[in-house]
Structure formats: structure tokens, C-alpha cells
Amino acid sequence: MPRGQRVALLCLALLVTLSLYLKGRLSTATGGGAAFSRQQAGAVTVRLSGDLPRPGVYRFPQGTTVADAIKMTVPEAATGALRVEEGARILTSGDLLTVGWRDRQLTLCTTTRMPAKELILLEIPLQVDLLGVEEWESLPGIGPVL
């Protein structure tokens, strides 16, 4: 192979390699973080507990009601025993929804707040006026003395 063709192939290979290297090194604006690294706009983070097939932390669209969250997580369950005002309550980030079932009928549904440590872990802003003494003491850097 003549020397000119070898130089041309080498330059072409170098150009392709450089372009692939740069494409792989540049960060993109569309990439997302870990599942719970930041609060997503338009979403609420809620923990579901009780008699559920999969209790845990869920992300729902903003404006999701208690009844909607139950239907999304346990679609075959009947929510007939759920009081209207209780089912229509709109969930906010940091809510702890506890449900109980008997014979596929809802028997218990309560909504409280997650503990402060869990809120911090999930990067949900604390509502300082709702924290109890025990929760203040459990926060890092505060403790019982402060």
C-alpha cells in the first residue's frame, strides 16, 4: 500500500476515534440522577405501609389522592369502605399512608408524616413547625443539648 493511502487511513481512524471519545466524555443535559437523588418537579414521594403486596416508597404525580394511590398500588382491591373526605385527600411529599385489608376490603386507612430522618434521607424538605421534640433530637448536629 502506498505511503499516502496509509497516512490517509491513519488520519481517518484518528478522526473517528477522537469523535467517539469526545461523544462518550461529554455530559448530556437530559440524563437523570438516581431514583431518589432529588425531588422531581410535579411528583410527590410517599411511603405506603400496612397490608400491601409491595409496601415501600413510591413516587406519584402531583395531585394524586389517597384513593388514587391505593388503586395504583393495589388495583384489584375494593376501596368502598374509604370515607369520601379521606379518599379525596391530596397526598404531599413526606406522607406515610398506612392501609389495612380484610377479605379484599379496605378496613384501615391513615395518613401521617414520615419521621424526620426518613425525610432527610429522601431529600424531602422538613416542616419545622410539625417536628416533635424526639425528631429534633434525632437530627444530625442538634441532639438533646441544643
Side-chain angles (χ1 to χ4, degrees):
M1 178 184 286
R3 185 169 189 231
Q5 286 180 342
R6 285 191 304 212
V7 170
L9 283 174
L10 181 62
C11 288
L12 182 64
L14 183 63
L15 181 65
V16 169
T17 305
L18 185 62
S19 67
L20 290 175
Y21 174 77
L22 290 176
K23 183 176 175 122
R25 298 287 295 169
L26 296 177
S27 63
T28 60
T30 59
F36 292 105
S37 64
R38 299 237 185 268
Q39 286 293 310
Q40 295 175 349
V44 293
T45 304
V46 178
R47 181 160 61 97
L48 300 179
S49 66
D51 299 327
L52 293 169
R54 293 187 175 189
V57 178
Y58 287 84
R59 260 214 187 119
F60 295 113
Q62 208 161 22
T64 301
T65 63
V66 169
D68 292 339
I70 293 171
K71 287 177 190 172
M72 283 188 234
T73 53
V74 189
E76 70 275 356
T79 58
L82 188 63
R83 293 191 328 248
V84 174
E85 64 272 2
E86 193 174 53
R89 182 184 179 281
I90 295 177
L91 294 170
T92 59
S93 283
D95 282 346
L96 170 59
L97 182 61
T98 306
V99 294
W101 306 95
R102 182 174 296 142
D103 299 325
R104 293 190 176 203
Q105 290 292 320
L106 184 67
T107 58
L108 166 76
C109 182
T110 59
T111 307
T112 57
R113 292 290 292 171
M114 289 185 217
K117 281 189 173 185
E118 191 171 358
L119 293 172
I120 291 171
L121 181 67
L122 295 172
E123 295 184 2
I124 298 172
L126 296 175
Q127 295 178 352
V128 293
D129 54 339
L130 298 179
L131 293 179
V133 174
E134 309 84 35
E135 290 182 312
W136 276 108
E137 289 178 354
S138 70
L139 295 176
I142 293 185
V145 176
L146 186 59

